[in-house]
Amino acid sequence: KQEVTQIPAALSVPEGENLVLNCSFTDSAIYNLQWFRQDPGKGLTSLLLIQSSQREQTSGRLNASLDKSSGRSTLYIAASQPGDSATYLCAVPTSGTYKYIFGTGTRLKVLA
Amino acid sequence: KAGVTQTPRYLIKTRGQQVTLSCSPISGHRSVSWYQQTPGQGLQFLFEYFSETQRNKGNFPGRFSGRQFSNSRSEMNVSTLELGDSALYLCASSLSGSDSSGANVLTFGAGSRLTVL
């Protein structure tokens, strides 16, 4: 059974810091991993998708890496800004199904 | 390109009533999945549809049901509402759902917030 864990649960940093969010999963038989952000009371916004054949993906100040063998992914945010404040969620598909399992998220607050 | 549209955005019901939520996917997307989000349980998978067929169902009671129409629009229905059904219901669309290429990005709507009194 796939389980997804995100550490830390919450993080507060001053503006300008580089930070790393972690995502761990128990079943390495995945074909992608997706990172999302969610603003309070809103839907999820897709940030990055990493296919199993890739080791990392970049979009602007965001870089996500994937290590299937160790069951880990990291989301690196460079030069954080107050607008980055949100909850960040990772999700992996369950093998053989069309169902995604989500982590419980990391609530990020960037202080101006 | 229009995003995923969910209606209604907010609704209040009382216990025992039923509710129907609607989701219009991005044009060309044929897979629609539904998730329930609560503070205690996080995001939990309800079901996924592709070409009017339910391909997967999550661990929810039979009071939760859904369907997909030929234009890929989807509805979900919850009957005999309970207090614990209060949640944000999120719909996501993708080209074809998860597949071996791993290239299908999930695009979510803004959600329908249901409050059961």
Side-chain angles (χ1 to χ4, degrees):
Chain A
K1 178 187 171 186
Q2 181 73 274
E3 293 182 359
V4 181
T5 304
Q6 290 188 247
I7 295 173
L11 185 61
S12 186
V13 300
E15 182 177 7
E17 274 207 5
N18 302 323
L19 54 102
V20 175
L21 308 181
N22 297 291
C23 172
S24 300
F25 46 94
T26 55
D27 182 355
S28 62
I30 62 171
Y31 30 81
N32 72 36
L33 182 146
Q34 300 192 39
W35 282 94
F36 299 88
R37 72 172 274 170
Q38 185 175 32
D39 294 286
K42 303 285 182 63
L44 278 66
T45 300
S46 178
L47 296 174
L48 290 164
L49 177 150
I50 311 176
Q51 297 179 54
S52 61
S53 57
Q54 301 170 322
R55 291 194 63 84
E56 63 178 61
Q57 277 283 1
T58 298
S59 176
R61 295 181 293 107
L62 305 179
N63 176 278
S65 66
L66 175 63
D67 184 343
K68 280 182 57 177
S69 61
S70 67
R72 293 182 185 177
S73 177
T74 60
L75 179 67
Y76 175 83
I77 303 177
S80 58
Q81 304 171 356
D84 295 331
S85 298
T87 296
Y88 290 80
L89 298 134
C90 64
V92 294
T94 305
S95 179
T97 78
Y98 303 92
K99 164 184 175 179
Y100 275 80
I101 303 296
F102 283 79
T104 49
T106 294
R107 192 169 61 254
L108 172 66
K109 187 169 185 178
V110 181
L111 305 170
Chain B
K1 183 172 172 180
V4 178
T5 303
Q6 290 190 247
T7 57
R9 289 292 315 281
Y10 303 92
L11 64 168
I12 299 174
K13 294 285 187 179
T14 57
R15 280 180 297 175
Q17 287 187 310
Q18 73 154 14
V19 65
T20 298
L21 309 178
S22 178
C23 173
S24 293
I26 289 174
S27 178
H29 284 193
R30 297 170 65 190
S31 168
V32 174
S33 50
W34 289 87
Y35 291 82
Q36 180 196 65
Q37 186 176 34
T38 59
Q41 299 296 319
L43 273 150
Q44 293 188 289
F45 174 81
L46 282 156
F47 21 67
E48 190 264 357
Y49 289 89
F50 180 83
S51 292
E52 302 178 67
T53 299
Q54 185 184 91
R55 297 194 293 190
N56 286 113
K57 190 177 193 306
N59 296 324
F60 280 82
R63 300 185 295 107
F64 291 80
S65 63
R67 58 178 176 169
Q68 186 180 35
F69 302 95
S70 58
N71 62 357
S72 294
R73 190 177 71 84
S74 177
E75 288 181 348
M76 67 163 282
N77 184 78
V78 187
S79 62
T80 319
L81 285 166
E82 301 177 359
L83 295 179
D85 297 332
S86 294
L88 181 64
Y89 290 87
L90 292 163
C91 161
S93 76
S94 68
L95 282 171
S96 61
S98 297
D99 62 18
S100 59
S101 78
N104 283 291
V105 175
L106 288 179
T107 302
F108 280 83
S112 292
R113 182 166 295 282
L114 170 66
T115 301
V116 182
L117 302 176

